Amino acid sequence: MHNSYLRVEGVEKRFKQHTALKNVSFDIRKNEFVCLLGPSGCGKTTLLRIIAGLEEPDAGRIFAGGKDITALPPAKRNFGIVFQSYALFPNLTALQNIEFGLRARKYEKKRIKEKAMEALALVELLHVKDKYPAQLSGGMQQRVSLARAIALEPDFLLLDEPLSALDAKVREKLRNEIRSVQEKLGITTIMVTHDQEEALTMADRIFVMDQAEIKQAGTPQEIYHKPNQPFVADFIGSMNFLNESMETAIRPEHVVVEEGKGTAAVIEAIEFKGPVYRVKVRMTEAASKFYNQQIIIDLSAYAAKEINLERGNVISISLPESRLLDFKEQVVS
Ligand code: ATP
């Protein structure tokens, strides 16, 4: 890639008999926010640790800003890291925690405090600078960790499941905050997550991983609308697979329900999910090539008003050709 800021080239990692990473290669541009997304055990954390220098690859190279950093120890890589577990010193205040990291950089004492205060201001925590970690909520502790990482003005920010220990509301708020700090500073960021919604809302690009490999790399829209294989299609969002070989699929929100058009299906279950109704139907028309197939449909409240939503009722559904995903013709990477 022309303007690669971080390049991972042919990285391999084994732990005894277990392959954690298989020939992983990619480029990341300056200022990009990339999420490594995948199920537990797929190798996300191992990849992040190799980039940080905390783990040695068995093969392959890492380049940062064009320089080969494969052999550099973590301290020489200028990466800021935030872990799931905050990793703050309990006996130091929020401000002191940030100052601690800066001391290793040999700034003047006054400058250290200034920089720590600036970082705290950026995460909007100046008012709790003298509090100890135990006096702060989980979300606040994680913001202190973030401030500590960015105070060092790293070239890269590496986030390892930073939000997964927090409850849903705080998590959502922090998503926006992390993204806004990242954009303000223009800092190239890689975040590990197994939460697809987090990846879809935060990332410029998502690398979907499974079984030690990157299966697809693309924008959230590409990953959602043009998954390159059944695994990606199934892992992100909900998907109806229309035959046993999983070659044809359609998203629940793309199924059309229109009286008198399409084929007959009987409603088997209705679930109210707030913005949509999730309706499970079974195709009942013997002539249909999807006869007896169960299909999930997401209907907006508006669309739901048009039909008689009741278990046992027969409705007409159609699966628009333009919305069908066909994995037969795609080259699986
Ligand atoms: P999770 O979301 O559960 O953290 P992950 O995608 O981050 O999963 P990794 O932590 O990278 O996965 O682990 C990938 C595989 O390598 C797993 O099967 C794990 O058990 C194994 N593994 C990771 N670190 C070690 C190690 N130090 N020794 C042995 N096996 C390891």
Side-chain angles (χ1 to χ4, degrees):
M1 191 195 279
H2 200 55
N3 51 358
S4 169
Y5 194 51
L6 182 80
R7 166 167 293 173
V8 167
E9 210 176 83
V11 162
E12 307 259 348
K13 182 73 184 174
R14 294 181 71 85
F15 294 106
K16 295 206 181 95
Q17 292 311 304
H18 183 84
T19 302
L21 293 172
K22 233 187 283 176
N23 193 18
V24 170
S25 299
F26 57 82
D27 286 278
I28 293 179
R29 292 183 294 274
K30 197 164 166 42
N31 299 353
E32 234 187 334
F33 193 120
V34 166
C35 279
L36 305 179
L37 173 69
S40 182
C42 70
K44 314 179 287 290
T45 301
T46 302
L47 180 54
L48 197 77
R49 288 173 58 82
I50 286 175
I51 292 169
L54 299 168
E55 196 87 66
E56 226 180 289
D58 297 335
R61 294 189 296 171
I62 316 278
F63 298 87
K67 272 196 320 213
D68 187 340
I69 60 162
T70 318
L72 287 188
K76 294 251 166 78
R77 294 195 181 196
N78 205 19
F79 287 87
I81 308 180
V82 176
F83 298 101
Q84 176 186 342
S85 61
Y86 322 142
L88 297 173
F89 296 112
N91 56 328
L92 299 181
T93 64
L95 184 65
Q96 288 165 345
N97 260 286
I98 300 169
E99 288 176 334
F100 185 88
L102 285 162
R103 281 207 205 111
R105 293 281 168 103
K106 301 194 175 67
Y107 293 111
E108 278 174 54
K109 213 168 166 195
K110 191 167 146 256
R111 187 70 191 123
I112 287 179
K113 178 150 189 197
E114 269 171 22
K115 285 178 99 46
M117 296 282 276
E118 276 168 25
L120 268 181
L122 208 58
V123 297
E124 294 174 11
L125 281 185
L126 268 185
H127 61 294
V128 298
K129 68 179 173 37
D130 297 322
K131 296 253 198 267
Y132 290 90
Q135 296 172 298
L136 301 174
S137 68
M140 283 174 161
Q141 290 182 57
Q142 199 51 305
R143 278 148 70 197
V144 175
S145 302
L146 179 64
R148 183 176 57 181
I150 58 181
L152 295 166
E153 298 173 58
D155 294 326
F156 299 88
L157 191 59
L158 304 179
L159 310 172
D160 191 359
E161 303 253 6
L163 304 177
S164 57
L166 303 167
D167 68 52
K169 265 271 177 272
V170 179
R171 210 154 62 209
E172 237 168 80
K173 186 164 167 278
L174 261 187
R175 274 182 201 159
N176 296 330
E177 232 178 272
I178 290 178
R179 192 61 229 231
S180 113
V181 167
Q182 185 268 340
E183 277 173 10
K184 232 182 255 172
L185 300 176
I187 184 167
T188 311
T189 300
I190 306 176
M191 181 171 95
V192 164
T193 180
H194 61 254
D195 181 333
Q196 47 158 306
E197 198 180 298
E198 212 165 279
L200 288 171
T201 53
M202 292 177 78
D204 292 318
R205 272 194 306 155
I206 299 174
F207 296 176
V208 183
M209 294 182 67
D210 187 39
Q211 296 186 358
E213 291 181 311
I214 295 178
K215 300 294 187 188
Q216 186 172 6
T219 63
Q221 289 80 359
E222 283 164 351
I223 297 284
Y224 188 82
H225 290 297
K226 294 182 184 143
N228 66 354
Q229 55 194 290
F231 168 77
V232 176
D234 196 30
F235 189 71
I236 314 279
S238 300
M239 188 65 84
N240 292 296
F241 286 95
L242 297 175
N243 47 32
E244 274 174 28
S245 56
M246 295 179 95
E247 281 166 351
T248 308
I250 188 166
R251 295 259 182 230
E253 69 270 28
H254 291 153
V255 178
V256 174
V257 179
E258 212 171 330
E259 205 54 53
K261 286 188 183 168
T263 47
V266 62
I267 298 178
E268 292 190 332
I270 303 155
E271 212 178 290
F272 176 59
K273 298 186 62 135
V276 296
Y277 287 89
R278 174 155 289 194
V279 184
K280 283 194 182 124
V281 304
R282 192 171 295 277
M283 311 285 261
T284 50
E285 220 162 275
S288 162
K289 65 176 165 174
F290 302 123
Y291 173 66
N292 211 27
Q293 175 101 34
Q294 194 183 55
I295 291 187
I296 293 170
I297 310 169
D298 282 344
L299 279 182
S300 66
Y302 179 77
K305 263 200 293 197
E306 301 296 309
I307 57 173
N308 196 358
L309 257 195
E310 222 171 284
R311 203 138 53 98
N313 274 357
V314 174
I315 57 175
S316 288
I317 71 167
S318 40
L319 312 171
E321 200 69 37
S322 63
R323 298 294 201 176
L324 290 180
L325 295 166
D326 185 350
F327 298 112
K328 262 198 313 278
E329 290 167 8
Q330 308 217 7
V331 184
V332 173
S333 65

